[in-house]
Amino acid sequence: AQKITQTQPGMFVQEKEAVTLDCTYDTSDPSYGLFWYKQPSSGEMIFLIYQGSYDQQNATEGRYSLNFQKARKSANLVISASQLGDSAMYFCAMRESSGGYQKVTFGTGTKLQVIP
Amino acid sequence: DGGITQSPKYLFRKEGQNVTLSCEQNLNHDAMYWYRQDPGQGLRLIYYSQIVNDFQKGDIAEGYSVSREKKESFPLTVTSAQKNPTAFYLCASSIGGTVGTEAFFGQGTRLTVV
């Protein structure tokens, strides 16, 4: 079974509009961390935002916010006021403990294209 | 500056040859990871290590081997047993002992087997 599921292979958004990228996860561990990364065409992985499983409030970092719905096991990324530079691949990831080790698992990603 | 260095950036090898990808970090992180990324695909975990001299298989470990003799180094060997080794390889590290810290990534190595 997939640990991290991103169901949107590609998304388009108009410049200055908001966009939501979906992510659902699967774990039985009560303590875990959820992350979003951006990967431009250059290939580097850029950390965007983090949400802890015990955090009561949704995480926000500038134009990025994470819509965390624990009961539904979803951690959607919301990008407000999209910019052309936001065009990239976006990956959702989860860090959990597995047999005493911390494992980080990624989804298959969503390719976001911002249209002028 | 602190960070993760992967070398080389591009690597070409003949089919049937073993090749070792380097990953060095000076962030004093305990945990290190290797991922494989294929075009248009997500990152798949190959191996990960929590401490020196200890590592665990990830989801696609077959055909790969690693070592962790030093905290700052986690080299990955792509062996001839790996059926389709051409891919983009990413190394990452993070603070160990907690699920609440992000992983830092190197710039990646693009391996092409001809």
Side-chain angles (χ1 to χ4, degrees), chain A residues 24-36:
Chain A
T24 57
Y25 60 92
D26 182 28
T27 181
S28 55
D29 199 326
S31 178
Y32 52 90
L34 297 160
F35 305 85
W36 277 92

Side-chain angles (χ1 to χ4, degrees), chain B:
Chain B
D1 285 6
I4 301 177
T5 301
Q6 288 186 246
S7 60
K9 190 172 182 180
Y10 298 96
L11 190 55
F12 295 88
R13 276 296 181 268
K14 289 184 178 179
E15 195 170 341
Q17 287 184 337
N18 291 358
V19 61
T20 297
L21 282 57
S22 170
C23 178
E24 303 275 332
Q25 54 99 356
N26 60 5
L27 299 166
N28 199 32
H29 285 169
D30 288 307
M32 295 189 74
Y33 309 83
W34 272 106
Y35 294 91
R36 168 181 172 141
Q37 186 178 21
D38 294 283
Q41 300 293 311
L43 280 66
R44 292 184 289 168
L45 183 63
I46 306 173
Y47 269 97
Y48 58 110
S49 170
Q50 196 87 354
I51 54 173
V52 173
N53 292 324
D54 189 28
F55 46 83
Q56 298 293 310
K57 291 183 179 180
D59 301 316
I60 56 164
E62 186 175 349
Y64 300 97
S65 66
V66 293
S67 62
R68 187 87 188 274
E69 297 176 3
K70 299 185 296 182
K71 186 176 185 177
E72 57 270 22
S73 179
F74 192 40
L76 173 74
T77 297
V78 185
T79 74
S80 56
Q82 170 48 236
K83 299 298 181 193
N84 185 16
T86 294
F88 186 52
Y89 291 87
L90 283 159
C91 178
S93 73
S94 63
I95 296 172
T98 171
V99 297
T101 56
E102 74 270 27
F104 293 80
F105 282 82
Q107 296 295 307
T109 292
R110 198 167 296 278
L111 173 64
T112 303
V113 175
V114 295

Side-chain angles (χ1 to χ4, degrees), chain A residues 4 6 10-11 15 31 36 50 67 71-72 74-75 78 88 90 94 97 99 102:
Chain A
I4 297 284
Q6 294 181 254
M11 291 276 287
E15 195 177 5
S31 178
W36 277 92
Y50 158 78
N67 184 359
R72 296 179 60 187
S74 75
V78 180
Y90 288 81
M94 177 173 64
S97 291
Q102 273 113 39

Side-chain angles (χ1 to χ4, degrees), chain A residues 48-65:
Chain A
L48 297 177
I49 195 166
Y50 158 78
Q51 180 83 43
S53 59
Y54 294 118
D55 293 344
Q56 297 295 314
Q57 292 192 317
N58 288 342
T60 60
E61 286 288 346
R63 295 187 298 112
Y64 303 109
S65 60

